[in-house]
């Protein structure tokens, strides 16, 4: 006696393999690249030509010309020393009268601390290469990052990046703001 | 020893697959300019990819468009004058609450001259897109 029991079952054993293949295909094709870069905040456009009055001693001038050469504080500079020069300028450890003023301020979490009034002024030519510009920005960022790390280690015992408490992060940022100002564009140095 | 049923294995894998498909974002723009990013050591990760709009700057990939550095917005060549419009469109596409977190990422080729980048920055300032990011790769090894 034979009895038909509907449709025979389909072998699903290889289904897993098919799904695995699909999975692997996706894993390979999907780009997992995380976007990284140097973040900056642009200043709002200036309406009138009010010159912000900065004391000359508070300004650290960095110029990059079209031949990718650096002029730091009126002297020829180079990338390798730029970071340390920036740090030395901003912190002014010897209280030099030619380096920026410092003001004693009361900051939450830290207490009384000297806050430097130094500002890095970065100027570049239209002919400067983007790569050089990024290198300079990178060195300047590195200087500020190191100063923050040092302060953070001194006050809280951990590096700035490892600070968990947002209040502490803000405190460090208040003492060492990333004071990089980009001049209104103009042509400097040899043109094209 | 009884056989372990593998009938649900495909389902497990499919769920994995679905998870991957949902969580990853595909690159939606095809590059028409050559962008070799500069390298830097002090890079930060760009968070919230959905809040980032990209401006590509570089030489056209195809020779028929010449060798002069061009700007690419979305899928086509653009000029500096188009940037304000681009920023406005990008802003309208986002949620109102998120608008102030929009970052503009400048992906420029490392041989680009700063002139064009400065022009872009000026336009971004006028358009009110102040948060920018100079896209650069993390240097594999610090000197």
């Amino acid at each position: 006696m034979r009895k038909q029991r509907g449709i025979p079952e389909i072998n699903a054993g290889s289904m897993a393999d098919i799904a695995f293949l699909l999975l692997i295909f996706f894993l390979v094709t999907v780009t997992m690249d995380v976007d990284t870069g140097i973040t900056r905040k642009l200043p709002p456009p200036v309406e009138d030509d009010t010159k912000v009055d900065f004391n000359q001693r508070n300004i650290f001038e960095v110029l990059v010309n079209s031949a990718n050469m650096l002029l730091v504080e009126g002297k020829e500079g180079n990338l390798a020393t730029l970071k340390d020069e920036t740090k030395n300028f901003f912190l002014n450890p010897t209280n030099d009268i030619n380096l920026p003023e410092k003001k004693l301020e009361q900051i939450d979490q830290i207490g009384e601390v000297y806050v430097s009034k130094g500002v890095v002024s970065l100027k570049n030519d239209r002919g400067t290469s983007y790569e050089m510009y990024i290198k300079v920005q990178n060195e300047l960022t590195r200087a500020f990052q190191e100063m923050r790390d040092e302060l953070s280690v001194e006050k809280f015992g951990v590096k700035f990046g490892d600070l968990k408490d947002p209040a502490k992060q803000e405190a460090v940022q208040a003492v060492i703001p990333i004071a990089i100002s980009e001049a209104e564009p103009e042509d400097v140095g040899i043109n094209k | 020893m009884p056989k372990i049923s593998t009938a649900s294995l495909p389902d497990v894998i499919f769920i994995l697959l679905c998870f991957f498909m949902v969580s990853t974002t595909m690159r939606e723009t095809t590059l028409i300019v050559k962008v070799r990013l500069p390298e830097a050591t002090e890079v930060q990760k760009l968070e919230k990819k959905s809040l980032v709009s990209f401006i590509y700057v570089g030489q056209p990939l195809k020779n028929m468009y010449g060798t002069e550095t061009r700007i690419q917005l979305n899928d086509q060549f653009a000029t500096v004058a188009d940037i304000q419009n681009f920023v406005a469109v990008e802003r309208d596409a986002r949620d109102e609450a998120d608008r102030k977190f929009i970052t503009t990422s400048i992906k420029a080729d490392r041989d680009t001259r700063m002139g064009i980048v400065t022009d872009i920055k000026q336009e971004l300032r006028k358009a009110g897109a102040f948060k920018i990011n100079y896209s650069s790769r993390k240097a594999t090894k610090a000197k």
Side-chain angles (χ1 to χ4, degrees):
Chain A
M1 182 152 169
R2 284 167 69 208
K3 205 178 161 205
Q4 205 70 29
R5 290 176 57 215
I7 339 151
E9 212 180 294
I10 301 164
N11 182 13
S14 50
M15 190 77 133
D17 302 317
I18 297 169
F20 257 123
L21 274 178
L22 263 170
L23 183 68
I24 287 163
F25 169 75
F26 259 92
L27 280 175
V28 171
T29 50
V30 146
T31 45
M32 288 292 264
D33 58 334
V34 269
D35 268 303
T36 53
I38 300 173
T39 309
R40 282 281 173 277
K41 220 171 158 98
L42 294 172
V46 277
E47 265 112 50
D48 43 3
D49 273 337
T50 39
K51 280 257 165 24
V52 189
D53 199 24
F54 268 118
N55 203 333
Q56 191 53 44
R57 66 181 276 203
N58 290 341
I59 299 176
F60 185 67
E61 262 193 1
V62 181
L63 271 79
V64 196
N65 76 357
S66 57
N68 294 340
M69 292 190 314
L70 276 175
L71 192 74
V72 179
E73 288 282 78
K75 289 191 282 289
E76 200 175 319
N78 85 49
L79 266 183
T81 56
L82 180 64
K83 185 203 75 187
D84 290 326
E85 279 173 39
T86 312
K87 277 172 77 177
N88 187 54
F89 168 85
F90 194 81
L91 295 173
N92 190 7
T94 52
N95 289 317
D96 194 321
I97 51 152
N98 294 317
L99 296 181
E101 311 162 63
K102 290 191 277 194
K103 202 171 139 215
L104 201 59
E105 270 183 42
Q106 184 73 35
I107 305 251
D108 287 346
Q109 301 277 340
I110 292 182
E112 285 210 326
V113 72
Y114 281 104
V115 177
S116 173
K117 284 185 170 179
V119 170
V120 178
S121 161
L122 175 61
K123 241 184 215 181
N124 60 269
D125 187 75
R126 290 187 69 85
T128 308
S129 89
Y130 185 64
E131 190 177 22
M132 183 63 186
Y133 176 77
I134 290 296
K135 276 184 189 160
V136 174
Q137 281 274 18
N138 188 44
E139 288 304 307
L140 294 177
T141 317
R142 207 148 69 95
F144 282 99
Q145 213 59 47
E146 274 185 21
M147 286 190 283
R148 283 181 171 181
D149 275 347
E150 280 161 17
L151 181 80
S152 181
V153 166
E154 188 193 319
K155 301 288 180 192
F156 306 118
V158 287
K159 285 193 165 183
F160 178 67
D162 298 330
L163 279 179
K164 294 279 181 292
D165 188 356
K168 287 179 181 172
Q169 287 179 11
E170 271 170 37
V172 176
Q173 281 168 357
V175 181
I176 301 173
I178 295 196
I180 302 174
S181 133
E182 284 188 67
E184 294 293 314
E186 64 179 85
D187 285 347
V188 285
I190 325 150
N191 268 332
K192 283 123 232 177
Chain B
M1 202 171 106
K3 240 190 180 176
I4 301 166
S5 165
T6 55
S8 53
L9 196 57
D11 302 315
V12 175
I13 307 297
F14 267 118
I15 286 171
L16 253 174
L17 186 66
C18 288
F19 167 74
F20 266 95
M21 283 171 70
V22 170
S23 62
T24 52
T25 44
M26 287 273 190
R27 168 174 292 167
E28 60 260 47
T29 47
T30 30
L31 281 176
I32 48 175
V33 292
K34 189 171 70 180
V35 175
R36 292 163 305 152
L37 294 175
E39 284 189 353
T41 54
E42 303 300 308
V43 292
Q44 288 166 297
K45 263 190 208 155
L46 262 183
E47 283 151 33
K48 294 239 179 98
K49 270 214 170 163
S50 55
L51 291 177
V52 181
S53 40
F54 293 99
I55 295 177
Y56 302 92
V57 185
Q59 286 177 1
L61 274 176
K62 285 188 188 140
N63 280 335
M64 58 187 272
Y65 299 118
T67 54
E68 204 195 332
T69 303
R70 303 284 292 271
I71 302 169
Q72 180 190 348
L73 300 172
N74 296 324
D75 273 331
Q76 59 207 13
F77 288 122
T79 60
V80 176
D82 297 326
I83 287 177
Q84 289 203 29
N85 192 22
F86 169 75
V87 170
V89 170
E90 289 283 313
R91 192 174 291 149
D92 284 343
R94 304 303 198 284
D95 236 26
E96 206 151 333
D98 294 334
R99 281 183 193 163
K100 54 177 176 290
F101 301 114
I102 297 179
T103 308
T104 311
S105 177
I106 300 177
K107 282 181 179 272
D109 189 86
R110 62 174 100 110
D111 291 334
T112 312
R113 301 278 125 192
M114 275 309 288
I116 191 162
V117 182
T118 308
D119 291 342
I120 293 172
K121 275 158 63 184
Q122 289 300 319
E123 287 299 310
L124 288 176
R125 280 174 69 184
K126 281 186 217 153
F130 298 128
K131 274 185 79 172
I132 59 163
N133 182 288
Y134 302 108
S135 193
S136 41
R137 274 187 297 136
K138 181 137 184 73
T140 34
K141 198 162 166 7
K143 342 139 216 172

